[in-house]
């Protein structure tokens, strides 16, 4: 691959677990009791949203439905989460942080300590497996086109791929290459391939491993 250097910062590891954006958090200077009330209200709304997902699916989670389920005004839901995408992202927050912890500080090959190509293979396979658990919610939480690639959680995942690519193929345009790799892990594509085309997850994992090997020049010859 031809060299295309870019003056972009290289992600460093280990890093702290990035927090997902939580809209409507208490302002600095609020009374402790008000902050505690806000946290309780947020937890109550997320519990209501979780019940809706379990009982009716992610499509049933609207700001109005959550407000009715939690028996609060719709404005309360908007103040806490901003919009429906913010609410659904908050529902995914625990799963996202758990996954981030696994590749930022967990055991190898997903976590630090393994060669970068092995970590890339493990990262994609882990993301594919995780998608089988949260696929419906991930699809519902997809941000609009103008926010899709600036979403904090997605940015953390892609920057991790950039870091591993820079270690494995430092002469490549790792920024753009990371977008190409992340495209194969897109929830909408996973849904299409597994639900609409009926492909087994094992085949998607094999395809990811093959892609990583070819991109990094480690594919078997012959």
């Amino acid at each position: 691959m031809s060299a295309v250097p870019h003056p972009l910062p290289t992600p460093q590891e280990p890093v702290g677990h990035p927090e997902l954006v939580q809209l409507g958090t208490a302002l600095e200077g609020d009374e402790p009791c008000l902050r505690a009330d806000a946290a309780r209200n947020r937890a109550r709304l997320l519990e209501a949203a979780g019940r809706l997902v379990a009982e009716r699916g992610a499509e049933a989670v609207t700001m109005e439905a959550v407000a009715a389920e939690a028996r609060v005004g719709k404005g309360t839901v908007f103040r806490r989460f901003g919009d429906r995408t913010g609410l659904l992202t908050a529902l995914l927050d625990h799963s996202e942080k758990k996954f981030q912890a696994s590749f930022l500080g967990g055991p190898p090959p997903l976590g630090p300590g393994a060669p970068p190509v092995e970590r890339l293979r493990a990262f994609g396979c882990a993301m594919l497996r995780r998608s089988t658990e949260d696929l419906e919610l991930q699809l519902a939480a997809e941000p609009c086109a103008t926010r899709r690639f600036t979403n904090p959680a997605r940015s953390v995942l892609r920057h991790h791929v950039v870091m591993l690519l820079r270690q494995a193929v430092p002469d490549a345009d790792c920024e753009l290459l990371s977008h190409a790799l992340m495209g194969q892990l897109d929830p909408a594509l996973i849904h299409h391939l597994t639900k609409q085309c009926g492909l087994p997850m094992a085949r998607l994992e094999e395809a990811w491993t093959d892609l990583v090997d070819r991109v990094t020049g480690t594919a078997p010859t012959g």
Side-chain angles (χ1 to χ4, degrees):
M1 295 185 184
S2 59
V4 187
H6 288 278
L8 295 170
T10 303
Q12 299 296 317
E13 188 176 21
V15 297
H17 299 175
E19 296 289 333
L20 301 186
V21 173
Q22 296 178 353
L23 302 177
T25 52
L27 299 175
E28 185 176 355
D30 285 349
E31 292 297 327
C33 62
L34 295 179
R35 292 198 296 270
D37 285 344
R40 282 193 294 269
N41 288 338
R42 186 175 187 277
R44 179 183 174 189
L45 293 171
L46 288 175
E47 288 173 4
R51 287 195 299 272
L52 289 173
V53 171
E55 295 170 3
R56 307 181 208 169
E59 290 184 0
V61 180
T62 65
M63 306 299 265
E64 293 80 2
V66 171
E69 180 72 16
R71 298 182 180 180
V72 299
K74 185 171 65 173
T76 300
V77 187
F78 278 98
R79 283 193 297 273
R80 287 288 164 263
F81 302 104
D83 57 18
R84 181 173 184 267
T85 297
L87 170 62
L88 293 168
T89 299
L91 275 177
L92 283 169
D93 184 73
H94 176 71
S95 172
E96 191 66 47
K97 288 180 179 177
K98 183 179 178 181
F99 183 60
Q100 289 174 11
S102 67
F103 67 74
L104 291 172
L110 183 56
V117 173
E118 288 187 23
R119 295 192 66 192
L120 270 173
R121 294 184 192 122
F123 174 81
C125 290
M127 274 201 68
L128 289 167
R129 289 190 293 269
R130 174 176 173 251
S131 289
T132 63
E133 302 172 1
D134 297 325
L135 187 55
E136 185 181 353
L137 195 53
Q138 286 184 30
L139 289 173
E142 277 283 285
C144 63
T146 57
R147 294 167 53 189
R148 185 175 188 186
F149 297 101
T150 58
N151 176 273
R154 184 185 179 93
S155 295
V156 169
L157 299 175
R158 193 185 66 79
H159 286 147
H160 180 67
V161 172
V162 171
M163 180 198 71
L164 295 177
L165 284 171
R166 283 178 173 158
Q167 295 173 4
V169 281
D171 61 334
D173 186 343
C174 297
E175 284 287 333
L176 289 182
L177 195 56
S178 69
H179 285 288
L181 288 175
M182 288 294 292
Q184 190 157 332
L185 304 174
D186 182 75
L189 178 60
I190 294 171
H191 177 269
H192 169 67
L193 294 175
T194 58
K195 305 298 184 183
Q196 297 176 321
C197 298
L199 299 186
M201 184 58 64
R203 183 172 172 185
L204 272 62
E205 292 182 18
E206 290 171 4
W208 169 261
T209 299
D210 180 62
L211 177 62
V212 168
D213 289 350
R214 292 177 187 277
V215 164
T216 57
T218 54
T221 59

